[in-house]
Amino acid sequence: MPVPMLDLAPQNAAVKQKVLDGIGALIDRSSFILGDNVRSLETEIAAYAGAKFAVGMSSGTDAQLVALMALGIKAGDEVIVPSFTFFATAGVVSRLGAKPVFVDLDPATFNTTGALVEAAITPRTKAIMPVHLFGLLAEMPAICEVAAKHGIPVIEDACQSMGAKGWGLNAGQFGEMTAFSFYPTKNLGAFGDAGLTIIREDEDLYYRVKRLRVHGMEPIYVHHEVGMNGRMDEVQALVLRAKLDMLEVWHEGRRKHAAWYHGRMKELAADEALMPLEAVPDGRHIYNQFTLRVPGGKRDALQAHLKALSIGSAIYYPICLHEQPCFADLGYKKGQFPESEKAAAEVLSIPVFPEMSEAMLEEVAAGILGFFGRK
Ligand SMILES: Cc1ncc(COP(=O)(O)O)c(C=O)c1O
């Protein structure tokens, strides 16, 4: 039986009628940008994350960019970001003329730590942007402690991790601001691009983010600063609102599959494949990705083996950001972030979407076990 990496059709079928009804009402009202649905979604997601304010944005990338702009990040500033993440985390820093300063990761979590961040701080550091990769929180208490000691604001990149928890708190309750993405492959996915910026409690930052979203304009046609067009549209907001009720069930579905994989593949040795860990105290991994480590240079062969069995998999991410051609002028060298480079060579994400049947999970696990000569 073929198993795709991700199949969005079943979850979208579950909300189809509600969305069609919503779009019908939207066409009747014909108000398509920053309307009632966006405002309601902002209230609902602020409550979901346990934060004071939320601003609906056009994408996760723009949700990060606007947060940096609200902090006044500019040319000459440094922003600390992980090297092993999706490109946007560092791309938004460069777009403001600032310098992404890369840090390595903790191999147990794929995320950066307080100690790694502290070692990268200089007098030019103006923000720290840890990423909660794959659905697991970074070491936020330690990172926030270091940030507070140096008086540097923290922006959480929770683009893959809305709903993740750790140390008794939610993604979005640690940093001054947090970016969420609703790209369709996320646990809460729109029907296109969308994102949202959480502002934990600072009302001034909230008004700044809102104004920057619409070209720095307040009131209409008075521009206080050069902002952006980062507006969320009503169709995306109504889709996200229709899905929000189901999000907890979907998170738990992914977690159930993760536990099943752990049980079924427990005989695999550490030098064959390592399963992702629930390495955060008092927390919850939401498994936007279920990412294995395949050491010993066998990752690509395992992926080819799965492909031959029509089983989907993906490599997030094959090249670290410090090795990307566009950042060559920053002067980083191969070997500088050994754990990140090792992760890029070893990771393989396998299907974990909530609607998978046990037969599909078995197909994936049997494919992996078969590759290592197990049953
Ligand atoms: C870690 C991370 N940061 C930022 C983004 C950017 O989000 P978007 O694709 O919605 O712009 C993503 C999404 O893919 C992401 O995974």
Side-chain angles (χ1 to χ4, degrees):
M1 180 204 337
V3 183
M5 180 61 193
L6 176 65
D7 181 4
L8 291 171
Q11 78 157 234
N12 288 336
V15 294
K16 186 172 172 183
Q17 200 49 55
K18 210 168 169 185
V19 168
L20 288 174
D21 293 346
I23 290 177
L26 191 60
I27 292 170
D28 292 343
R29 280 205 309 280
S30 283
S31 164
F32 296 107
I33 306 279
L34 295 183
D36 291 346
N37 280 294
V38 173
R39 276 187 292 277
S40 298
L41 180 75
E42 289 170 343
T43 306
E44 287 157 11
I45 298 225
Y48 180 85
K52 266 200 176 150
F53 307 107
V55 179
M57 298 294 300
S58 39
S59 67
T61 305
D62 286 342
Q64 293 180 285
L65 181 64
V66 81
L68 292 172
M69 290 170 82
L71 293 175
I73 302 297
K74 58 181 186 323
D77 293 342
E78 294 180 356
V79 178
I80 297 176
V81 294
S83 180
F84 186 65
T85 177
F86 180 62
F87 178 76
T89 317
V92 290
V93 176
S94 285
R95 279 172 58 190
L96 294 174
K99 180 180 167 191
V101 172
F102 295 116
V103 286
D104 210 354
L105 55 79
D106 172 356
T109 63
F110 295 116
N111 286 324
T112 195
T113 66
L116 290 165
V117 163
E118 182 148 45
I121 290 176
T122 77
R124 289 178 300 283
T125 309
K126 292 293 168 357
I128 300 166
M129 192 148 57
V131 177
H132 308 316
L133 207 62
F134 303 145
L136 181 68
L137 289 193
E139 196 195 24
M140 292 314 292
I143 292 169
C144 290
E145 198 182 312
V146 166
K149 191 165 95 187
H150 294 269
I152 302 167
V154 173
I155 300 169
E156 297 174 57
D157 178 346
C159 283
Q160 301 182 3
S161 295
M162 192 177 101
K165 298 176 197 288
W167 298 273
L169 296 174
N170 299 324
Q173 290 187 308
F174 295 92
E176 274 71 15
M177 288 177 279
T178 297
F180 293 145
S181 166
F182 304 121
Y183 186 75
T185 60
K186 303 301 197 262
N187 288 25
L188 179 64
F191 283 4
D193 274 309
L196 181 139
T197 306
I198 287 283
I199 300 94
R200 199 186 67 231
E201 58 187 21
D202 184 329
E203 197 166 2
D204 291 343
L205 268 181
Y206 167 61
Y207 286 115
R208 184 113 196 255
V209 166
K210 262 180 82 159
R211 201 170 75 179
L212 283 162
R213 173 175 67 176
V214 288
H215 299 291
M217 183 172 78
E218 174 68 51
I220 194 153
Y221 303 132
V222 181
H223 298 267
H224 301 266
E225 57 190 329
V226 178
M228 62 200 284
N229 171 6
R231 301 176 302 229
M232 181 187 271
D233 72 67
E234 282 287 290
V235 173
Q236 302 313 331
L238 81 83
V239 168
L240 293 165
R241 293 187 69 209
K243 289 186 172 187
L244 192 55
D245 284 347
M246 265 116 88
L247 184 59
E248 285 302 300
V249 174
W250 290 335
H251 287 329
E252 291 307 320
R254 288 169 179 270
R255 289 177 54 71
K256 206 173 99 220
H257 296 340
W260 190 94
Y261 276 142
H262 271 272
R264 180 71 178 89
M265 296 193 275
K266 64 178 178 300
E267 69 203 71
L268 288 177
D271 61 356
E272 292 175 324
L274 290 165
M275 308 285 144
L277 300 170
E278 288 271 345
V280 166
D282 201 4
R284 176 170 79 159
H285 195 322
I286 55 143
Y287 294 103
N288 180 241
Q289 301 298 339
F290 187 90
T291 303
L292 307 171
R293 270 181 187 273
V294 188
K298 295 201 192 115
R299 189 263 315 271
D300 294 348
L302 172 57
Q303 187 174 38
H305 173 81
L306 294 177
K307 189 169 178 211
L309 297 170
S310 302
I311 296 168
S313 66
I315 297 171
Y316 306 121
Y317 298 91
I319 307 174
C320 294
L321 297 188
H322 71 278
E323 297 187 89
Q324 291 293 348
C326 68
F327 293 135
D329 61 335
L330 296 177
Y332 289 100
K333 303 264 177 308
K334 189 160 184 61
Q336 198 163 343
F337 301 110
E339 289 298 347
S340 300
E341 292 171 32
K342 190 159 177 256
E346 292 184 350
V347 285
L348 187 66
S349 300
I350 59 173
V352 73
F353 56 96
E355 296 79 10
M356 285 176 78
S357 63
E358 188 161 331
M360 292 165 95
L361 292 166
E362 176 57 32
E363 200 80 21
V364 178
I368 294 170
L369 290 163
F371 176 79
F372 291 107
R374 311 288 177 84
K375 285 224 174 87

